[in-house]
Amino acid sequence: MFIHTSYVCIVIDCNMAKEKLSEMVAERIKKDIAAKKYKTGEKIPAEPELMEAYQVGRSSVREAIKSLAMAGVLRVQQGNGTFVNEQATAQPLDQRLHNADFDEINAVRMLLETELVKLAVDHHTQADLDAMHQHLTDRRHAIETENKQACTNADIAFHTAIATASRNKVLADLYDYFTLSIRSLFSKREQQGIAHFAMSHYLHDALFDAIRGKKKKEALKIIQQILSNNY
């Protein structure tokens, strides 16, 4: 079947436009919260009212609410509506994560990755294993060539592949959001170069083998060892 390239471009442009609109709506909602139009603890208007207020479509409103809920600005209660969180006017979540210390970030990382590894053992596909193996190969090559940035990229990609293999989209999305903080932590450990990547590579290989072999207890033991040693 032939699909004209101009049609593809229109679809891409439309998707980009929706993303920009949802971002604009999210910013408008945050400004209205700051201006006390939507007060702390109160329910914001329903989708039709927001569509009319901001002159956008339903999908843009939904994406805006989703992003604000993930950021902790809004709280969605199924069947009751969407409410302004008490901490909506506080420091944004991404900024709080950026300012968090290493132990706080690593504690949350341990909770997330432990659950993701557990699920990945049960739900991975061959495509997931192929992706993990490729990222490990890239990680090893980056260590051998002493390329710290490539090490960071490959390491995060490997753990993200595990998150994808969990088949839990909510947890995977949370982990994807959280990788910004993990990357920041790696950059703060500049003085260590690639040493911590090299020392932990055998553990990452072992984790891959355990996931592939569906050895859940072994996989959980290894991920805890990786994280407890701040690898």
Side-chain angles (χ1 to χ4, degrees):
M1 181 178 69
F2 176 75
I3 300 176
H4 199 281
T5 53
S6 62
Y7 173 76
V8 175
C9 289
I10 290 172
V11 172
I12 293 174
D13 287 343
C14 286
N15 288 337
M16 291 177 65
K18 285 181 181 179
E19 290 180 4
K20 291 178 180 178
L21 278 174
S22 66
E23 291 173 6
M24 179 198 75
V25 174
E27 286 302 315
R28 290 279 301 278
I29 291 174
K30 285 196 291 185
K31 287 181 180 178
D32 285 341
I33 290 173
K36 306 298 183 182
K37 181 177 180 180
Y38 308 136
K39 297 179 181 179
T40 299
E42 292 185 352
K43 183 165 66 174
I44 67 171
E47 285 181 359
E49 295 177 60
L50 293 174
M51 290 163 59
E52 184 177 351
Y54 301 121
Q55 293 296 294
V56 294
R58 188 180 300 274
S59 61
S60 296
V61 168
R62 287 183 174 176
E63 284 300 313
I65 290 175
K66 179 182 175 181
S67 67
L68 291 174
M70 288 184 66
V73 176
L74 298 176
R75 181 179 74 260
V76 179
Q77 292 185 354
Q78 294 299 328
N80 292 324
T82 302
F83 297 81
V84 179
N85 262 338
E86 291 184 2
Q87 296 182 342
T89 56
Q91 194 179 49
L93 178 60
D94 55 350
Q95 191 61 43
R96 295 203 301 273
L97 286 173
H98 179 74
N99 294 333
D101 63 30
F102 185 89
D103 290 336
E104 289 176 326
I105 294 295
N106 212 47
V108 177
R109 184 187 176 197
M110 183 171 288
L111 289 173
L112 269 177
E113 294 214 40
T114 298
E115 188 62 29
L116 288 169
V117 165
K118 187 190 303 181
L119 293 171
V121 169
D122 292 331
H123 303 297
H124 70 262
T125 64
Q126 185 57 48
D128 295 322
L129 293 175
D130 291 342
M132 290 179 213
H133 184 266
Q134 182 58 57
H135 296 316
L136 281 178
T137 300
D138 294 341
R139 194 180 190 278
R140 185 182 302 109
H141 178 70
I143 291 169
E144 291 170 350
T145 56
E146 299 186 3
N147 186 330
K148 186 175 186 294
Q149 186 59 56
C151 279
T152 298
N153 293 340
D155 184 275
I156 290 176
F158 171 70
H159 290 278
T160 299
I162 293 174
T164 300
S166 74
R167 294 293 172 274
N168 186 311
K169 292 183 179 180
V170 175
L171 283 177
D173 284 346
L174 282 173
Y175 187 76
D176 186 55
Y177 186 80
F178 198 65
T179 56
L180 296 174
S181 298
I182 296 173
R183 190 178 293 276
S184 177
L185 285 178
F186 282 152
S187 67
K188 290 176 182 178
R189 300 168 71 180
E190 192 73 39
Q191 71 279 6
Q192 293 185 3
I194 62 165
H196 68 290
F197 290 109
M199 289 187 295
S200 68
H201 194 77
Y202 79 98
L203 287 172
H204 286 73
D205 279 335
L207 177 59
F208 170 72
D209 289 337
I211 292 173
R212 179 173 56 183
K214 291 185 175 291
K215 300 175 181 177
K216 187 175 294 184
K217 287 184 179 179
E218 184 176 338
L220 290 175
K221 181 179 179 181
I222 295 168
I223 191 62
Q224 287 168 8
Q225 188 175 355
I226 288 173
L227 297 175
S228 62
N229 285 285
N230 297 330
Y231 292 147

